[in-house]
Amino acid sequence: MSKRTCYTRLATLLAGLLMAAGCEDGDGLDVVEIDVPEQYALSAGTSTVFINSSFAYDTEAPWVSASATCSRRFTRGDRLYDDARTQSDGLGPVYAGYSCGSCHRNAGRTKPALWTQTGTDADGTPVYGSGTYGFSAMLVYITRRNGAFFQQYGRVLHDQAIYGVQAEGKLECRWHEEQFAFPDGEPYSLVWPEYRITDWYAPYDGTTTPIRPEDLFCSVRIPLRHVGLGQMMAIDRNEIEALAARSNYPEYGISGRCNYITERGVRQVGLSGNKAQHADLTVELGFSSDMGCTNSRYPEEICEGQLQMQEGSMMGLLYDRLDVSTEDMENVDYYLHALGVPARRLGSTQTAAPYKGQTLTERQLVAIGEQRFHDAKCHLCHTTTLHTRPRGATLLNGTELPWLGNQTIHPYSDFLLHDMGSEIMGVGLNDNYVSGLARGNEWRTTPLWGVGLQEKVNAHTYLLHDGRARNLTEAIMWHGGEGKASKNLFARMHKDDRAALVKFLESL
């Protein structure tokens, strides 16, 4: 059956239900009979899309296109997400990106400036960093060694600013590489970043010197893929807490836990962010911290009380109104919730694939890789199957999305915190940055759905929170702490089994 036929049947079925319910306040839907095209498998129930192009992350779910009202709201949110903001739209005075899409191109991960060379040291060492493109597709978190924030800077160093305003600082990155080998002799290498901040706008504690490196912790985050966010927000939190209660595998050193955070006065399970430090999709925070746009939740400028306020005023910025409305923010929230999730690609039954001296089909190799994924116990944290609540998800201004409810989804994550270790190359994945209950060495299990299409969507394969992994193999080999057992099981596999496991990940 063709993709077009599949979409037509699904859209027709949903359209009738949506017309009866109304786009904004209809009952939850559960479509159980979906004709799935050959070579695909559902990843997110009725929100699954069968697209492999550069728009695989940036396509509306079928239930959206089945309703003109839903489609209009999705399009409005999509436009607000991508349109570049200017001073007249409230951008600045300092910021990290000029639109959501500047850092999340095609709803994915824009290539980070951490891998864009900006210069060279005297000894020939390449220097990467903030650059001068108006955005750097990264967030630079800074704290004192005791975890406190620096006066006149806050939690994020904003490395971009509007014309006439000085950015808070610029980031330089130098990569250090070390060679390793698997037990069978196959070589691989890992790199880790050394950060240096230059061009500090303000002196340090009343002195005439900048912040000293020995007084600073710096953690850099590249953008996350905006895949499956609506389904993540609709997940049954009781299921996540149940996973945490039984996530204890002493034979593998694994013990996951929830990150409980308080937002809007409510203590709840965090799901969103690298450390599950948020309970929502942080749209308001994104407008505020990333673009410098004030809103009803964050009415103060991010550089409130700093020199940049005066500089912005001199450049014509007005501070007597909010820069973005709650309605617009909820439309962006709607867009993020309503994005489709790429279907799993099972592999061709016609394309040949070598494996241990045999000639298999691509589909057979993907199936072997899936088994090796389980053999390496990756599934103990990258949980294959979860379920959404009956009522689905609720947007930031109260709009309900019942079409996300009662769905079986395959995010390949338990959304729990795990200690990822500090032992590899003397640094590991410990960034010394605390988020809620999450310590520096703890990270939320990254959802893997859509990971195999990142190169097609964003033209790069940089992974992990700061892009230090240049491919999937390196991402696996950075697993320490609770991930060490799985990493070692992967490393000891036959070379063709390691390749098959990576092939499986590329099918997600």
Side-chain angles (χ1 to χ4, degrees), residues 315-334:
M315 298 310 300
L317 285 185
L318 301 175
Y319 302 123
D320 59 349
R321 66 177 187 272
L322 298 180
D323 297 324
V324 58
S325 70
T326 300
E327 179 184 1
D328 280 350
M329 289 189 297
E330 192 180 69
N331 283 329
V332 173
D333 202 30
Y334 184 97

Side-chain angles (χ1 to χ4, degrees), residues 6 16 24 42-43 49-50 57 83 95 113 122 141 156 165 175 181 194 267 271-272 311 320 415 468 479 482:
C6 174
E24 298 301 334
L42 294 178
S43 55
V49 294
F50 306 95
Y57 303 162
D83 282 357
Y95 62 94
Y141 291 84
V156 173
V165 176
W175 293 100
E194 176 191 358
R267 185 175 185 269
L271 296 178
S272 177
E311 293 176 335
D320 59 349
F415 295 93
R468 68 179 64 189
H479 282 53
E482 296 180 41

Side-chain angles (χ1 to χ4, degrees), residues 143-148 150 212-218 432:
T143 67
R144 298 177 185 270
R145 292 274 169 166
N146 63 3
F150 289 99
R212 295 184 294 268
E214 60 269 23
D215 297 327
L216 172 72
F217 276 141
C218 178
N432 298 296

